[in-house]
Amino acid sequence: MNALTRRLLPLLLAIAPLPALAQQPPGPPALAWKTGAEARAIERRIDALLARMTTAEKIGQLNLRGRGDEFRPEWVAQGRTGAVMNFTSPAEIAAVRAQVAQSRLKIPLILGLDAINGFATYFPQPIGQAATFNPRLVELASYWSAREARATGINWTFAPMIDMTRDARWGRNMEGAGEDVHLASVIAAARVVGYHRGGLATSAKHFVGYGAAEGGRDYNSVWIPVSQLWDYQIPPFRAAISAGAFTVMTSLSAMNGIAATGDRSLVTDVLKGRLGFRGFVVSDFDSVRELINHGMASDRAEAARKAFLAGVDMDMMSGAYDAHLADEIRAGRVPAAALDEAVRRVLRVKFHMGLFEEPPFDPTTAARDMATPAARADSLAVARESIVMLRNHEAALPLRSSVRSIAVVGGAATHQEDWQYSDNAGLPRVRPPKLPDELTRLLGPDVAISFAPGLATHCNLAAGDTAGAVRTAEAADVVVVMLGEDCEQIGEGTSRAHLDLPPVQQALLDALIATGKPVVVILHTTRPFVLTRFEGRVAAILQAFHLGTEGRTALAEVITGHVNPSGKLPMTFPRATGQVPIYYDSLPTGRPRLTNARYETGYTDEKLEPLYPFGFGLSFSRFTFEALTLDAPRVARDGTVAGSVRVSNIAGPAGREVVQVYVRQKVASRSRPVRQLRFFEKVEVAAGGQATVRFAIPVRSLGFHDDQARYRVEPGEYEIYVGNDSNATLSATVTVR
Ligand code: BGC
């Protein structure tokens, strides 16, 4: 066996099989909106229930309170709160649920939690799920997150977050699907379906525009023109609603000068009206009271009135509805009919979820459903496809069989509890495998693996024993260093002004590079970083958007060649922070960069192009795209742009490639993006093999909104580009009649 075959053998033998949904153990019944006679019967039951409710009991249904010092379980028995959040212990949840039986009307509770990327078994952060470009895996991640949380007695999640963003500085990139509206819409639907299949009702959030915070600074105001609101921000919400999302959460921020939680035209006219949303709208945490901070209300009573009249049905945690709605109704400032309408929406969700028919909750079985082998296997499957290989200089990866020793550097490589949104208090949890252990397991005793943290902690912000790390590196054939962000640097409220590696990490990396050993960098980040300072000097770069419980196993599998990477970037990676916002589907300018002359768009001190484009990701295989053919060169406005392309795997092992189809309308009544992703599909192609991928894009999806929010599809020529990133060059033209 020659060295190359030996190196690629694991890949030839073991391309990870797609997980089989059919093998999952039975779980709770999937949630779905009832239709027809069943839905009509529910409305009649709501009428009957409303007729029996006092005003106080009605307001109670709109009051969402959370675990904490102030919470009193008897509020449930008193009918003063119909929804609770942030409970995670099955025993506590059982106790709160038991209060329902003490209440006069016994209306079941809805219990919410941010079960974002798992509960006992963690999956990649949502942005990492998006990087799989595999909606089936994304659905699985949501399914398990729901199943595990559901087993503890939770029945509602504050997910999926489907805010669009083009700004890597914004810390909540991690919770979304990146910059592309088509990808984000497909993923929004997949996540809703997955959560519902696992037994949690969803809350699509944050309506709307939260991800467009100016300067990437969380909670900052957003300015979104009408056409962009409808073309770019709203489509994922439309997709989530079509997929059956039960609730929608408002944004904490103000759009175009009006805080979303107090914006009637957004919440009532757009969401409940034009988008036809039938479920209930919940505020974000305290965002009703925050109308005071926004300067839109002088006190909590006014805040309650404004949010309620805007169409926000449920008040999360501010207590303003609880304290003031009754007075507002008595004083005639809030119509009683509006109260009935809001309560109807909450009850509708509870009825459609089947909560009134649910058997009593048994807290003793929760532990059984945590971190099952099936959940862990699926978590590994998602992590494998989530890894994006950004650089592989001279085929540094998979590691050659001549490698006899590896120095693993960085506390993140051995850390076993990455930052998570919510913690499954007290329930069984997995200690995620460590990277050095996984390398040892896969490479066997003949390859020596050493470890040095290099930095003070896994949080990666304070300098540690650099000299020790350098000594470890010098003694090894290859260095694998895991850097990035964790702890209090990721998630909500963690905007960055600098997207380079923090100085201590860059210094450590420079010292490792200076040893002359090939360095493989694993970026354990949750947003695009600026890699310009080192990317040309390292052997390989693997982007890992916090991969979850099985992440370090998946990384070891890629490094050793047991898995062929297939992740793609869901966001553009800039060359410099100053390029942000940078995204592939921008409009053309009147002065494109053609000759690098002064009066062409660009920067005097940086290139115009990003470091890595949207959709980019390398494989151990080499794929080529040929034979792009369209079924017809002319299509009608109600027709479909259909065609096919051949993908060949011309070098390397079997692998998966993402076929990406972009469309550009050449001339229109307004300037149109230089290209937009309209179709993608991940295909598996055997070594030396080929696959023909068919695509079909409805012409009605190729239009845009004008400044009056009217949608139109204009006739004319549309260019089609096909390839494996947003720079795809294989092209054809179709005419829409
Ligand atoms: C976040 C929401 C989250 C809520 C409850 C807020 O601060 O913006 O997305 O669901 O807290 O945890």
Side-chain angles (χ1 to χ4, degrees), residues 607-643:
K607 289 185 183 167
L608 178 64
E609 299 78 33
L611 190 60
Y612 301 113
F614 170 85
F616 175 80
L618 300 169
S619 160
F620 296 147
S621 317
R622 213 160 85 236
F623 295 102
T624 57
F625 288 71
E626 307 98 356
L628 169 61
T629 45
L630 296 179
D631 291 2
R634 297 169 71 79
V635 288
R637 249 188 279 188
D638 58 356
T640 303
V641 177

Side-chain angles (χ1 to χ4, degrees), residues 198-462:
L200 290 191
T202 42
S203 188
K205 67 191 190 183
H206 304 83
F207 200 74
V208 60
Y210 179 47
E214 259 194 328
R217 175 161 58 82
D218 212 357
Y219 319 126
N220 200 11
S221 43
V222 301
W223 300 92
I224 303 177
V226 172
S227 59
Q228 202 182 75
L229 177 69
W230 284 91
D231 285 343
Y232 187 64
Q233 298 287 347
I234 287 182
F237 284 92
R238 224 192 253 283
I241 292 168
S242 306
F246 278 96
T247 73
V248 170
M249 189 188 294
T250 57
S251 166
L252 290 160
S253 52
M255 183 177 86
N256 302 337
I258 303 182
T261 302
D263 192 339
R264 185 173 169 86
S265 71
L266 266 190
V267 178
T268 296
D269 301 345
V270 171
L271 178 58
K272 294 179 175 176
R274 189 155 162 193
L275 299 183
F277 176 60
R278 290 178 293 161
F280 70 80
V281 176
V282 60
S283 78
D284 199 347
F285 199 103
D286 202 27
S287 72
V288 173
R289 190 202 55 80
E290 287 175 13
L291 290 180
I292 302 172
N293 300 354
H294 279 287
M296 280 179 53
S298 51
D299 54 25
R300 273 210 315 173
E302 191 181 357
R305 179 169 76 244
K306 284 213 162 148
F308 186 77
L309 292 178
V312 175
D313 303 304
M314 189 180 278
D315 172 5
M316 183 196 284
M317 295 301 286
S318 92
Y321 286 9
D322 179 52
H324 299 290
L325 262 194
D327 286 347
E328 292 297 311
I329 291 166
R330 251 192 309 275
R333 288 187 289 267
V334 166
L339 178 64
D340 281 6
E341 167 59 16
V343 178
R344 173 178 295 280
R345 283 176 176 270
V346 173
L347 295 176
R348 184 183 286 146
V349 166
K350 291 184 173 183
F351 274 113
H352 281 263
M353 285 172 70
L355 300 186
F356 286 84
E357 286 74 40
E358 216 174 62
F361 168 61
D362 175 5
T364 61
T365 60
R368 190 193 60 195
D369 280 353
M370 297 299 131
T372 57
R376 291 194 62 181
D378 284 348
S379 170
L380 179 57
V382 184
R384 283 170 175 154
E385 292 203 19
S386 175
I387 295 167
V388 188
M389 186 160 71
L390 294 176
R391 176 175 167 86
N392 195 16
H393 187 57
E394 293 178 346
L397 294 180
L399 294 180
R400 292 177 167 74
S401 54
S402 56
V403 168
R404 288 281 138 247
S405 54
I406 304 172
V408 179
V409 179
T414 55
H415 186 65
Q416 293 186 294
E417 280 186 48
D418 296 334
W419 186 92
Q420 302 298 346
Y421 220 110
S422 38
D423 180 80
N424 73 336
L427 288 163
R429 57 162 67 224
V430 188
R431 302 290 289 170
K434 301 177 181 182
L435 183 59
D437 297 345
E438 291 302 277
L439 288 170
T440 301
R441 184 174 64 78
L442 294 170
L443 292 170
D446 295 346
V447 181
I449 312 289
S450 51
F451 171 71
L455 296 152
T457 71
H458 74 280
C459 294
N460 273 335
L461 286 183

